[in-house]
Amino acid sequence: SHAAALLARAGVRNFVLVDFDNVTLSSLNRHAAACRAHVGSSKVAAVASQIRAIAGPSGGCDTPGEIQIPEGVIEARAAMFSAKMATGLLLHPDWIAAHPDSMQLGYFSAGGGPGSIADLPDWAVPDLVLDCIDDVKTKAELLTWCVHARVPAISSLGAGGKLEGTRLHAGGLADVVNEALGKALNTKLRQTLAVDTGAADTGAVDTG
């Protein structure tokens, strides 16, 4: 939510927001957009409402779906990401509409040929993916998709209990030292990708 708000203030106008969770009282202390009025509604609805307030005309809370703002669109998708759901959650809606059978392909194949992630046109995939997931398996599935789709990604790792903000580090996965989430993600990606972590350092996957 914090990253989305900052991107909106920086001028980004097209967003795909994916989160299956709802706002709770206990999550208000760490959510950039939600307030008590949002409790019980989806987190993506709260973030979409904030982005619209920043970038376009004022309004109340929004429900998940397509929200028009000046020169941009917010896709608020209240769903859990998975490899099988990647097509419907991450690809441009115009591409999906033109390829109705694509939903049956799910994750696509990593190699070339029909249904290959690598064959998707540039306009159909995101310009950038922000991975803010806290589950190792799901993070690995998202980053694996990004690698095969040639989409740059920034992955957030563990910051709980860290008090010294000046020691925040941005780098490749190979730079991870003594950070449990990053080490576990590294191991999982080594198992799921046909590349080593050094290949992720080339820019296919960047983490900070």
Side-chain angles (χ1 to χ4, degrees):
S1 58
H2 293 270
L6 290 172
L7 287 172
R9 294 183 189 282
V12 175
R13 290 296 177 264
N14 293 313
F15 291 85
V16 176
L17 307 170
V18 180
D19 196 322
F20 71 97
D21 210 357
N22 290 334
V23 178
T24 63
L25 282 173
S26 62
S27 67
L28 289 178
N29 66 328
R30 58 183 182 274
H31 201 287
C35 59
R36 290 183 68 93
H38 291 104
V39 172
S41 63
S42 69
K43 289 182 177 179
V44 291
V47 176
S49 179
Q50 183 190 42
I51 292 174
R52 192 178 70 164
I54 293 171
S58 60
C61 299
D62 297 298
T63 55
E66 184 178 281
I67 302 167
Q68 297 287 340
I69 59 175
E71 301 179 356
V73 174
I74 308 169
E75 289 282 339
R77 297 169 180 173
M80 178 181 288
F81 178 85
S82 68
K84 292 182 178 180
M85 293 289 289
T87 299
L89 292 177
L90 299 181
L91 296 187
H92 195 288
D94 289 347
W95 192 93
I96 295 175
H99 301 81
D101 293 338
S102 65
M103 294 300 292
Q104 300 175 8
L105 296 174
Y107 183 65
F108 285 76
S109 62
S116 171
I117 301 174
D119 291 338
L120 291 168
D122 290 343
W123 66 266
V125 298
D127 295 320
L128 174 68
V129 166
L130 298 185
D131 160 35
C132 305
I133 301 169
D134 56 9
D135 174 71
V136 174
K137 178 179 180 294
T138 311
K139 287 177 83 71
E141 289 185 356
L142 174 59
L143 295 179
T144 297
W145 189 92
C146 289
V147 169
H148 292 312
R150 311 179 312 281
V151 175
I154 299 175
S155 182
S156 62
L157 299 180
K162 306 299 189 297
L163 302 178
E164 183 50 73
T166 61
R167 300 184 66 181
L168 180 68
H169 178 74
L173 283 173
D175 298 332
V176 174
V177 177
N178 296 327
E179 201 287 306
L181 180 58
K183 291 174 67 176
L185 179 60
N186 244 333
T187 299
K188 188 66 176 177
L189 285 173
R190 287 179 186 276
Q191 296 171 351
T192 57
L193 283 173
V195 295
D196 59 21
T197 306
D201 268 349
T202 64
V205 177
D206 199 8
T207 178

